[in-house]
Amino acid sequence: MPKLAAWMEENLPEGFEHFAFPEEHQRRIWSSNVLERLNKEVRRRTKIVGVFPSAESYERLVSAILMEISDEWQTSVRYLAV
């Protein structure tokens, strides 16, 4: 299994990077659930529009959604305590 061994040598350290963060952060960032929820929200809100007239209009809507979510994260209970 030389291909698997080479892949593991290259990618395994990346899988353990979350251990470099403080312990209270590790339990929050060990999975990709936050990103999955974010992607689901973007899909939900862009699905309403259906067909976009251009790529720029899609980018504007997604940017607005992401800025709104970012504002919510900044003003709500802190996800990661600094």
Side-chain angles (χ1 to χ4, degrees), residues 38 41 44-45 64-79:
L38 179 64
E41 179 65 14
R44 183 184 72 79
R45 294 185 51 188
I65 293 168
L66 295 176
M67 286 189 293
E68 178 184 329
I69 292 171
S70 176
D71 288 343
E72 289 173 7
W73 284 357
Q74 290 177 4
T75 59
S76 66
V77 176
R78 296 189 74 135
Y79 185 71

Side-chain angles (χ1 to χ4, degrees), residues 24-58:
E24 60 271 4
H25 292 190
Q26 290 177 18
R27 63 175 185 232
R28 300 276 191 186
I29 62 174
W30 71 274
S31 75
S32 61
N33 290 344
V34 173
L35 291 175
E36 290 172 16
R37 263 186 266 140
L38 179 64
N39 288 332
K40 188 175 183 179
E41 179 65 14
V42 169
R43 273 192 303 265
R44 183 184 72 79
R45 294 185 51 188
T46 56
K47 195 174 189 178
I48 294 169
V49 176
V51 178
F52 288 89
S54 67
E56 290 81 17
S57 64
Y58 178 79

